[in-house]
Amino acid sequence: MENLRLVMGELQVADVKAQVGLSLFTDFENFSDFKPVPGQENSVNAMLDQVIAWGGALKPLRENRA
């Protein structure tokens, strides 16, 4: 992941540092409903917080392209 992050940085792609490894067997009920195990919930929230922050920061750039 770290090597890919460096490449994406060179391409000027925004990335998030937090990463989560989810399993269809343990983190999804009936393979469709997201129910993370308690240990994963904090990691998922941290990742989504970073995605939301990047989305807000990049919003003016998206609006200028329209």
Side-chain angles (χ1 to χ4, degrees), residues 4 9-12 14 17 19 24-25 28-29 32-34 37 39 42-43 46 48 51 53 55 62-63 65:
L4 183 58
E10 286 296 317
L11 296 172
Q12 298 180 347
K17 185 171 177 99
Q19 53 189 338
L24 283 173
F25 296 102
F28 290 86
E29 187 174 276
S32 61
D33 297 325
F34 185 54
V37 295
N42 291 336
S43 298
L48 291 176
V51 169
R62 291 190 308 269
E63 289 171 349
R65 292 186 73 168

Side-chain angles (χ1 to χ4, degrees), residues 1 3 7 26 39 45 48 59-60 65:
M1 283 306 290
N3 288 337
V7 171
T26 60
N45 287 334
L48 291 176
K59 185 176 180 179
R65 292 186 73 168

Side-chain angles (χ1 to χ4, degrees), residues 49-61:
D49 287 344
Q50 290 179 15
V51 169
I52 290 168
W54 269 117
L58 297 173
K59 185 176 180 179
L61 297 174

Side-chain angles (χ1 to χ4, degrees), residues 11-22:
L11 296 172
Q12 298 180 347
V13 174
D15 65 342
V16 295
K17 185 171 177 99
Q19 53 189 338
V20 183
L22 299 173

